[in-house]
């Protein structure tokens, strides 16, 4: 079985190369820029990509989830550089208990094959904020006396070493926070579903919502100067592009970053357009107005995202069939292994998707299509294995006996009698796996594999419902189409039988 999985992964890697085309065949290797899943990181990723693209090939692997995922991608060599913050590198990545100097960080990162350079010029620190009408709270120390307040904090902030755990201890806060995506936290605060949220000091929505930023009176949060975290070999591999990127040092002020965030979040401009406007200010005189749902749904990316999504679903379900049907046969005819096989498939189904992706990136040494396909393959196994086993166990024993009486061997009985009789139940399992995979495939965007999830992650980052729907509606339609195709196939089989 281990050999089979190894072979499957090798073929999966080959298939991915065929899909994307070998980069070296099209020209020189591109500089790969990564970014996290929030507005500012998307924009800075575009600034780096467009700056490098003027001196060679560059591509932006955008919205790669949280720090753990994008760092794993950097260490695996799937990206070469991404924008990060000094406090995050110091406390979250290097796990230092107190602030260290830039030189100390460089020395600690060097054994990891990483470096930090090019301070961009602004400090985007964490802070907590409340509505302007909140009374008796001006600083973080005041929160300790307001135990009834409802905290809605981003999931990453809740788990970070420099986030909620240390903040709670430093200020003696008795609260238990709810996890909220950063993109929707402002709206939840405005609707009074929560009272306190974590923010970035360069968020454009602070002014839009008229929030009160609480003073860090005990000085808990370190500086979060925007820097570049990169692979040490990147400057040698891309000398011209890196020289151009180095010219960005100190050029972005906090006010400029707030304005760029506002262009994306409040004016509806694309991340690429915002970056271009900053790099070439003459082009920024008039930007495109915020577009509606139809424009976002049927933009130029629709075909490529559809193709990516269909490939993810199709390949993962085919692989799940190649593995799941034989496992279902084993479960049906080897009673002592039945519970083990079904339990294993069930346990794999319960692994959280983002956790599985975070594990697969260092395990496979890459981001993108391959780890996404492996994850989708894992989630598609259970219904196929279970339905194959159920379908075969439902074949009447008398038919099996009759087939053997006619001289059919065990293999011929399985292929010519039992599997055809169990086919409707097996197809129902494959249909379930395929429809589920259409929805689950949206997670692929978190590791740069594309698909409709790319629009959903951008919509979450911007709190843009139109962009969310522009990704969710095509995914739902694809799921309905998939179900319809399977049901048509089931009717055709039924008529032939």
């Amino acid at each position: 079985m281990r050999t089979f999985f190894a072979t499957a992964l090798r073929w999966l890697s080959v298939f991915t190369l065929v899909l994307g085309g070998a980069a070296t065949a099209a020209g020189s290797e591109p500089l790969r820029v990564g970014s996290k899943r929030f507005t500012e990181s998307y924009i800075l990723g575009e600034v780096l990509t467009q700056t490098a693209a003027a001196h060679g090939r560059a591509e932006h692997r955008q919205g790669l989830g949280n720090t753990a995922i994008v760092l794993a991608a950097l260490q695996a060599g799937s990206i070469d550089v991404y924008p990060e913050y000094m406090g995050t590198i110091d406390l979250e990545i290097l796990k230092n208990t107190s602030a260290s100097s830039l030189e100390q960080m460089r020395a600690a990162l060097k054994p990891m094959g990483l470096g930090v350079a090019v301070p961009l010029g602004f400090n985007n620190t964490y802070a907590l904020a409340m509505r302007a009408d909140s009374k008796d709270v001006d600083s973080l120390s005041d929160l300790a006396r307001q135990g009834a307040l409802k905290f809605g904090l981003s999931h990453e902030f809740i788990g970070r070493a420099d986030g909620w755990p240390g903040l709670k201890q430093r200020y003696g806060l008795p609260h238990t926070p709810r996890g909220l995506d950063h993109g929707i936290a402002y709206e939840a605060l405005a609707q009074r579903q929560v009272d306190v949220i974590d923010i970035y000091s360069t968020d454009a929505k602070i002014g839009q919502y008229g929030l009160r930023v609480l003073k860090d009176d005990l000085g808990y949060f370190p500086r979060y100067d925007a820097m570049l975290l990169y692979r040490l070999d990147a400057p040698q591999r891309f000398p011209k592009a890196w020289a151009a990127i180095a010219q960005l040092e100190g050029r972005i002020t906090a006010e400029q970053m707030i304005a760029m965030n506002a262009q994306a979040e409040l004016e509806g401009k694309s991340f690429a357009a915002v970056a271009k406007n900053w790099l070439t200010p003459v082009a920024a005189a008039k930007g495109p107005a915020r577009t509606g749902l139809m424009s976002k749904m049927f933009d130029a990316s629709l075909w490529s995202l559809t193709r990516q999504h269909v490939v993810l679903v199709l390949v993962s379900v085919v692989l799940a069939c190649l593995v799941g049907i034989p496992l279902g046969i084993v479960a049906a005819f080897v009673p002592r292994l039945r519970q083990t096989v079904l339990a294993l498939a069930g346990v794999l189904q319960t692994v959280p998707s983002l956790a599985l992706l975070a594990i697969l990136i260092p395990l496979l040494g890459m981001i993108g299509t391959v780890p996404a396909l492996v994850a989708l393959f894992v989630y598609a196994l259970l219904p196929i294995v279970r339905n194959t086993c159920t379908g075969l166990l439902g074949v009447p024993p008398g038919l099996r006996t009759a087939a053997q009486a006619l001289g059919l061997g065990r293999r011929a009985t399985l292929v010519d009698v039992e599997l055809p009789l169990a086919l409707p139940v097996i197809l129902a399992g494959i249909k379930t796996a395929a429809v589920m995979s259409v929805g689950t495939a949206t997670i692929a965007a978190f590791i740069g594999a594309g698909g409709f999830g790319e629009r959903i992650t951008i919509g979450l980052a911007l709190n843009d419902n139109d962009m969310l729907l522009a990704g969710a509606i095509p995914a739902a339609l694809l799921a309905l189409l998939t179900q319809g195709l399977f049901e048509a196939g089931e009717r055709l089989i039924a008529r032939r039988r």
Side-chain angles (χ1 to χ4, degrees):
M1 187 63 69
R2 184 179 301 174
T3 303
F4 178 86
F5 279 115
T7 303
L9 282 176
R10 283 198 296 271
W11 278 105
L12 197 54
S13 301
V14 172
F15 181 83
T16 305
L17 288 174
V18 172
L19 277 179
T24 52
S28 60
E29 181 187 11
L31 173 71
R32 293 156 299 186
V33 178
S35 62
K36 298 184 187 179
R37 193 174 56 85
F38 62 94
T39 302
E40 185 166 294
S41 191
Y42 279 108
I43 293 171
L44 292 176
E46 277 296 325
V47 169
L48 296 178
T49 304
Q50 292 182 27
T51 300
H55 302 275
R57 294 180 62 223
E59 62 181 39
H60 185 190
R61 312 295 293 271
Q62 62 179 12
L64 298 178
N66 59 15
T67 301
I69 290 179
V70 72
L71 176 64
L74 184 69
Q75 292 178 298
S78 296
I79 59 174
D80 300 299
V81 60
Y82 80 95
E84 190 51 279
Y85 300 90
M86 192 169 180
T88 301
I89 297 171
D90 200 12
L91 303 178
E92 180 69 8
I93 294 175
L94 296 177
K95 308 297 183 184
N96 292 326
T97 55
S98 59
S100 57
S101 68
L102 189 58
E103 288 306 316
Q104 289 173 322
M105 282 192 284
R106 284 174 174 154
L109 289 167
K110 188 173 182 180
M112 302 164 61
L114 305 179
V116 59
V118 194
L120 297 175
F122 67 94
N123 171 37
N124 182 11
T125 187
Y126 269 120
L128 297 189
M130 302 178 67
R131 291 180 296 275
D133 60 3
S134 302
K135 298 179 180 179
D136 303 323
V137 180
D138 292 306
S139 67
L140 296 180
S141 291
D142 294 334
L143 292 174
R145 298 185 291 273
Q146 303 288 332
L149 293 175
K150 294 175 290 186
F151 280 56
L153 308 178
S154 64
H155 297 90
E156 183 170 5
F157 184 80
I158 289 174
R160 288 172 62 110
D162 56 340
W164 174 250
L167 185 70
K168 178 183 176 72
Q169 183 178 10
R170 174 70 65 88
Y171 284 95
L173 301 179
H175 311 82
T176 300
R178 295 170 56 189
L180 283 179
D181 188 272
H182 187 75
I184 64 174
Y186 285 91
E187 191 64 27
L189 185 66
Q191 294 178 359
R192 300 182 179 274
Q193 296 176 23
V194 296
D195 302 308
V196 183
I197 63 172
D198 62 295
I199 61 169
Y200 306 124
S201 60
T202 55
D203 282 354
K205 292 181 180 178
I206 297 173
Q208 180 195 14
Y209 285 83
L211 302 186
R212 177 188 300 172
V213 180
L214 303 180
K215 298 174 184 176
D216 181 14
D217 49 314
L218 297 184
Y220 171 74
F221 292 114
R223 288 188 63 84
Y224 288 84
D225 296 290
M227 314 280 288
L228 301 186
L229 190 61
Y230 65 99
R231 293 180 62 83
L232 286 176
D233 60 353
Q236 289 74 42
R237 289 164 51 217
F238 311 99
K240 293 182 180 178
W242 192 260
I245 288 174
Q247 297 302 310
L248 296 172
E249 182 170 339
R251 286 185 54 193
I252 305 177
T253 65
E255 292 73 20
Q256 289 175 329
M257 196 67 249
I258 292 172
M260 285 193 277
N261 289 334
Q263 288 178 45
E265 295 183 353
L266 308 183
E267 300 174 27
K269 294 180 180 178
S270 69
F271 302 124
V274 171
K276 183 178 180 181
N277 288 346
W278 183 80
L279 289 167
T280 54
V282 176
K286 282 222 172 194
R290 183 180 289 276
T291 55
L293 173 60
M294 290 297 105
S295 298
K296 291 176 180 177
M297 190 181 302
F298 295 102
D299 68 8
S301 68
L302 178 61
W303 165 243
S304 63
L305 294 180
T306 302
R307 176 179 55 80
Q308 292 164 358
H309 210 95
V310 169
V311 167
L312 288 170
V313 173
L314 182 62
V315 176
S316 62
V317 172
V318 168
L319 286 173
C321 288
L322 293 175
V323 176
I325 292 175
L327 284 177
I329 294 171
V330 170
F333 296 121
V334 186
R336 68 178 183 277
L337 296 179
R338 184 174 303 153
Q339 291 305 317
T340 301
V341 170
L342 293 177
L344 178 60
V347 167
L348 291 174
Q349 185 91 10
T350 64
V351 179
S353 55
L354 287 180
L356 181 59
L357 290 174
I359 293 169
L360 288 173
I361 291 172
L363 187 64
L364 299 177
M366 66 182 79
I367 60 172
T369 305
V370 171
L373 285 175
V374 173
L376 292 173
F377 157 78
V378 167
Y379 293 133
L381 268 181
L382 180 60
I384 296 174
V385 173
R386 184 176 54 201
N387 278 42
T388 300
C389 178
T390 302
L392 290 172
L393 291 176
V395 174
L399 292 177
R400 189 178 295 116
T401 302
Q404 292 172 352
L406 291 172
L408 294 179
R410 190 67 197 89
R411 182 178 180 279
T413 301
L414 174 65
V415 173
D416 297 329
V417 178
E418 293 169 316
L419 284 176
L421 289 172
L423 186 58
V425 180
I426 297 173
L427 278 179
I430 298 173
K431 176 176 69 175
T432 300
V435 173
M436 287 172 51
S437 294
V438 172
T440 311
T442 56
I443 65 169
F446 288 90
I447 55 170
F452 297 130
E454 194 167 293
R455 290 176 170 177
I456 294 174
T457 58
I458 292 173
L460 285 171
L462 298 175
N463 194 21
D464 184 342
N465 289 332
D466 286 342
M467 184 61 80
L468 278 169
L469 290 173
I473 290 175
L477 292 176
L478 182 59
L480 290 174
L481 176 61
T482 301
Q483 182 166 328
L485 289 174
F486 272 96
E487 289 176 353
E490 289 170 349
R491 287 194 296 270
L492 180 61
I493 292 173
R495 281 201 300 269
R496 288 187 175 180
R497 292 180 69 190

